[in-house]
Amino acid sequence: MKPATYNYDVVIIGAGIVGFSIAFRLKQTDPDLKIAVVGNSRNPLMASRAAAGMLSPYCECEQDDRFFFFCRESLQKYPKFIEELESVSGLNVHFSMAGAIMPQSSVENEWENRLRFFKDAQATYEVWSRRQIHEKLPYISRECGDVVWIKEGVVNSRQLHDALMSAASLLGVEIIDHEVTGFLRANGSIDDALTDIGLVSGKKFVLAGGGWSKHLGLGIGIAIPIKPIKGQMCRLQVEEDRLGYTVHGFLTYIVPWGDEYGFVVGSTMEDCGFDSKVYDSTIDNLIDNASAILPCLHDAPLVEKWTGFRPTTEDEMPIMGASVRYENLYYSTGHHRNGILQTPNQADYMTKIIQGKLKNEIQEFSPTRYGL
């Protein structure tokens, strides 16, 4: 029996936040496009479902390069992006621009360098006095020393993913919740993606497979230099008034998720392939590090613990743009630690590239640097 065939203008392979955000923006820009998103949208190991949702261009970056500017532009787009998404999806997405704090004790000898970068990058920041720390952070450890506050954001990544799926579906995007197992290709273009329910044909294909992008690339004869970087983390049930800001440090982060979700504590950076096991000793260590900043975490109930895989390239820059190997293939993958942060900007960027409205790609992100 011949397998079923589904035909689309754009087929997006990868059912995470990056893939759905591209579908969402493409469909908003051109409602007549027939778009499909293909992949396991509920894979708990993908970064979209595992990420803490920090929107932190200043705390995550160390120099004002093109990567930093792209991340900062994306943060600036977030309020409108969330407003649009909630309006279309009808779902609530916890989003806050209350800011992040960085205790001096958590950055060790880098305190002056961090303050210098914030100033040079023209960040909105304040170094709080002891009186301000006492008023604004009554539950923080006195051992943290000085504290700098930076105007950054946070989003509940699971709610964001759910809202993007809902919004895309309501706009008419087809969701094919099956894994891609291979491709049919000829004469420098991709014709079909193979799934267990049949062929998915498209005029254009977007590879947005996150940590599994290298595996997908093998199906089209391309070695994509991406590997999974494992992160273990957990969520603790804590009263929301204990902390109104994200906490950044070299050893830990603490992220309030709002809506009585408690606080997310993380995370490790492990180059160990697809080992998905969560180790109690690792979680205990994360909680200990976080409790040194916010002592109430030490005895807080543990709600859940999990692992996720960040898609990381050799140079830790994303791969976004048009393929040089296939005339109808595009990439948006390899976002490492900042895929959630980059979501609005990469959706706009990729939409312009896919529609042929942006010819000059950002060279630091271009697939051409790897010959893809």
Side-chain angles (χ1 to χ4, degrees), residues 17-18 47 74 78 311 335-344 346:
I17 284 173
V18 167
S74 201
Y78 243 102
H335 295 91
H336 191 39
R337 291 167 57 96
N338 295 287
I340 308 298
L341 168 59
Q342 294 177 11
T343 292
Q346 72 81 34

Side-chain angles (χ1 to χ4, degrees), residues 38-78:
V38 188
N40 179 5
S41 63
R42 293 295 176 180
N43 179 357
L45 297 175
M46 66 178 169
S48 296
R49 303 300 296 185
M54 295 178 294
L55 310 176
S56 302
Y58 300 104
C59 289
E60 283 287 305
C61 299
E62 297 182 0
Q63 55 186 343
D64 55 351
D65 55 10
R66 191 65 191 86
F67 177 80
F68 164 72
F69 292 133
F70 191 89
C71 290
R72 184 172 65 179
E73 290 166 0
S74 201
L75 176 63
Q76 292 166 349
K77 291 180 177 183
Y78 243 102

Side-chain angles (χ1 to χ4, degrees), residues 12 18-26 206 332 346-347 350-351 354:
I12 299 169
V18 167
F20 274 109
S21 67
I22 296 170
F24 175 64
R25 187 60 84 211
L26 273 172
V206 182
S332 188
Q346 72 81 34
M350 290 303 303
T351 292
I354 293 166

Side-chain angles (χ1 to χ4, degrees), residues 240-253:
E240 292 186 17
D241 65 354
R242 293 300 188 266
L243 182 68
Y245 313 93
T246 298
V247 176
H248 274 269
F250 287 161
L251 295 177
T252 189
Y253 59 69

Side-chain angles (χ1 to χ4, degrees), residues 128-289:
W128 286 347
S129 67
R130 295 299 173 128
R131 178 183 60 81
Q132 288 174 303
I133 294 171
H134 179 72
E135 291 176 354
K136 298 174 182 291
L137 302 167
Y139 298 99
I140 200 171
S141 170
R142 302 301 92 170
E143 303 299 318
C144 287
D146 292 340
V147 168
V148 60
W149 169 87
I150 314 98
K151 189 172 180 59
E152 294 186 323
V154 63
V155 65
N156 184 315
S157 59
R158 296 177 189 173
Q159 291 180 337
L160 177 63
H161 188 219
D162 289 343
L164 278 166
M165 287 192 289
S166 177
S169 179
L170 288 168
L171 290 176
V173 173
E174 185 80 15
I175 300 175
I176 301 176
D177 219 339
H178 293 264
E179 298 287 5
V180 170
T181 57
F183 298 90
L184 298 180
R185 50 201 167 101
N187 301 319
S189 70
I190 297 172
D191 297 325
D192 307 280
L194 283 68
T195 73
D196 58 5
I197 61 167
L199 303 177
V200 181
S201 301
K203 296 176 183 176
K204 296 180 179 180
F205 289 82
V206 182
L207 198 156
W212 292 265
S213 294
K214 182 175 182 178
H215 175 75
L216 290 167
L218 295 177
I220 49 177
I222 293 177
I224 302 174
I226 285 180
K227 61 183 177 181
I229 296 297
K230 177 182 177 179
Q232 297 181 60
M233 60 205 80
C234 65
R235 182 162 63 93
L236 304 173
Q237 193 62 55
V238 184
E239 294 87 346
E240 292 186 17
D241 65 354
R242 293 300 188 266
L243 182 68
Y245 313 93
T246 298
V247 176
H248 274 269
F250 287 161
L251 295 177
T252 189
Y253 59 69
I254 307 168
V255 183
W257 257 10
D259 300 332
E260 300 184 353
Y261 275 88
F263 293 0
V264 175
V265 172
S267 170
T268 61
M269 293 279 291
E270 304 172 59
D271 187 356
C272 57
F274 285 102
D275 170 21
S276 61
K277 185 175 179 180
V278 181
Y279 295 89
D280 289 341
S281 59
T282 300
I283 298 301
D284 290 343
N285 189 52
L286 289 171
I287 294 173
D288 286 344
N289 289 336

Side-chain angles (χ1 to χ4, degrees), residues 103-128:
Q104 184 174 9
S105 64
S106 71
V107 295
E108 299 177 340
N109 299 322
E110 289 296 313
W111 178 253
E112 294 300 329
N113 289 337
R114 298 311 300 162
L115 294 183
R116 189 177 302 112
F117 173 67
F118 296 155
K119 181 179 179 180
D120 292 345
Q122 299 181 330
T124 300
Y125 75 99
E126 300 171 358
V127 178
W128 286 347

Side-chain angles (χ1 to χ4, degrees), residues 349-368:
Y349 180 71
M350 290 303 303
T351 292
K352 291 176 183 177
I353 291 176
I354 293 166
Q355 293 181 332
K357 296 179 180 178
L358 180 66
K359 300 299 183 182
N360 297 319
E361 296 180 356
I362 298 172
Q363 289 305 304
E364 292 89 338
F365 306 160
S366 176
T368 59

